[in-house]
Amino acid sequence: MILRKGHESKYTVIDNEPVRSSEMSLKAKGMLVTLLSFPDDWKFNLKGLRSYMTDGERSIVSALNELEDRGYLKREHPKRPDGTFSEWEWTVYESPLLRNAVVENAVLQNAVVQNAVLLSNEELSTDSLSTEKESSSSGKPDHSAEIAEIIAYLNSALGTSYKPRSKESVKHISARLDEGFTVSDFKAVIDSKVSQWGRDQKMREYLRPVTLFAPSKFEGYLQSARLKEVRANAYSEYD
C-alpha cells in the first residue's frame, strides 16, 4: 500500500523509466529527482546542491557523474566571443539524452551493453593476447614490487584474492608498465571500473586483471577514468 497526500502545489512529477531502472544506483535516482524538483531556470552548482542534502561532496559528484554518463545531465562551458568562458550551464533531462554509442564507448566506456559485447569479444580473441611477451630476467626491469602493489589494491577494492605471481597478471601488468603506464594509472582504472561495474553482478565478473589490464582495453579505461577526474574537478571549481 502507498499512502499519498493530496497535491495542489509544490510537487515533482517524474517519468517512471529512470526511477525503476535496474541499471541506475539509488543515489543517482535520488539526485535526478532532486534536480527535477528545481525551477526550470534554476542556476545549478555544487555548493547549492550541498545545502539540500547531507551527502558529502564526493558522493554528490559521483551521483552527478552517473547521471551525466547515462544522459540525464549535460554540462556545457560556453565560450564567449572574446575567448573567455561563461558560467557552467547544466541541462537536466527527465528522459536520457540520446548519444552516439560509438563515441560513448570510446570516450566514457559507460554503455553497459556495449561493454559486455566488447568484453566478450576480448575473451574470445586470444591472438592479440598471445603477442605479449612474458617478462624475463634478461634485459627487462623487475616489476615485482609494482605488480604486488597493484594486485593488493585490486584485492582491497573487490575483496578478492588474486595472486601477484599469477602468470596472466604478471604478463599484462608488466607489459603495461613497460609501455610507460604507472602504478597510479592502474589504481585510477581500478577505481573507475569498480565504481562503474561493482554493483552490477553481470559486469562485476570482468573486474579481473586479464580484462582490466588487457592491451586493447587498458588505455581506453584510463582515459575514461581521467575524464571523470576532470569533470569532478570542474564541479568543485565552479561551486
Side-chain angles (χ1 to χ4, degrees), residues 67-103:
L67 290 180
E68 190 167 13
D69 292 344
R70 296 190 180 282
Y72 290 96
L73 173 65
K74 182 179 181 181
R75 296 174 60 256
E76 297 178 298
H77 201 190
K79 197 172 186 179
R80 300 188 183 97
D82 63 0
T84 61
F85 288 94
S86 61
E87 295 181 355
W88 283 90
E89 296 180 359
W90 296 21
T91 304
V92 182
Y93 299 85
E94 186 173 351
S95 294
L97 177 67
L98 296 178
R99 297 181 178 184
N100 185 301
V102 176
V103 174

Side-chain angles (χ1 to χ4, degrees), residues 38-44 90:
F38 294 117
D40 293 345
D41 59 351
W42 189 267
K43 297 297 184 183
F44 292 101
W90 296 21

Side-chain angles (χ1 to χ4, degrees), residues 121-227:
N121 289 340
E122 175 66 21
E123 292 297 306
L124 294 174
S125 178
T126 57
D127 290 341
S128 60
L129 296 180
S130 64
T131 60
E132 291 192 29
K133 296 182 179 179
E134 297 183 18
S135 298
S136 64
S137 58
S138 58
K140 285 194 175 183
D142 180 9
H143 294 306
S144 57
E146 293 100 318
I147 293 172
E149 182 178 352
I150 291 165
I151 292 298
Y153 192 84
L154 179 63
N155 286 335
S156 175
L158 294 174
T160 50
S161 56
Y162 290 108
K163 305 300 182 184
R165 294 185 180 181
S166 166
K167 183 178 179 180
E168 288 298 307
S169 297
V170 169
K171 177 174 68 173
H172 291 303
I173 297 175
S174 293
R176 303 290 79 76
L177 291 171
D178 287 340
E179 291 168 355
F181 293 105
T182 66
V183 172
S184 295
D185 293 334
F186 282 86
K187 291 181 178 180
V189 168
I190 291 170
D191 288 341
S192 175
K193 305 318 287 185
V194 169
S195 173
Q196 183 180 346
W197 294 341
R199 294 186 298 270
D200 188 317
Q201 291 301 316
K202 182 178 180 180
M203 298 304 296
R204 188 180 174 85
E205 65 181 274
Y206 295 111
L207 293 172
R208 53 190 178 184
V210 69
T211 299
L212 294 174
F213 312 141
S216 61
K217 293 288 185 286
F218 185 77
E219 187 170 13
Y221 291 158
L222 179 59
Q223 292 303 315
S224 174
R226 295 309 186 200
L227 180 59

Side-chain angles (χ1 to χ4, degrees), residues 11-51:
Y11 62 92
T12 301
V13 178
I14 184 172
D15 194 303
N16 282 332
E17 178 186 356
V19 176
R20 296 177 180 173
S21 171
S22 62
E23 298 180 352
M24 284 180 64
S25 68
L26 184 60
K27 180 169 59 178
K29 293 177 183 180
M31 179 61 72
L32 180 60
V33 173
T34 301
L35 296 179
L36 289 173
S37 72
F38 294 117
D40 293 345
D41 59 351
W42 189 267
K43 297 297 184 183
F44 292 101
N45 57 68
L46 186 58
K47 184 177 181 180
L49 284 176
R50 287 201 203 106
S51 64

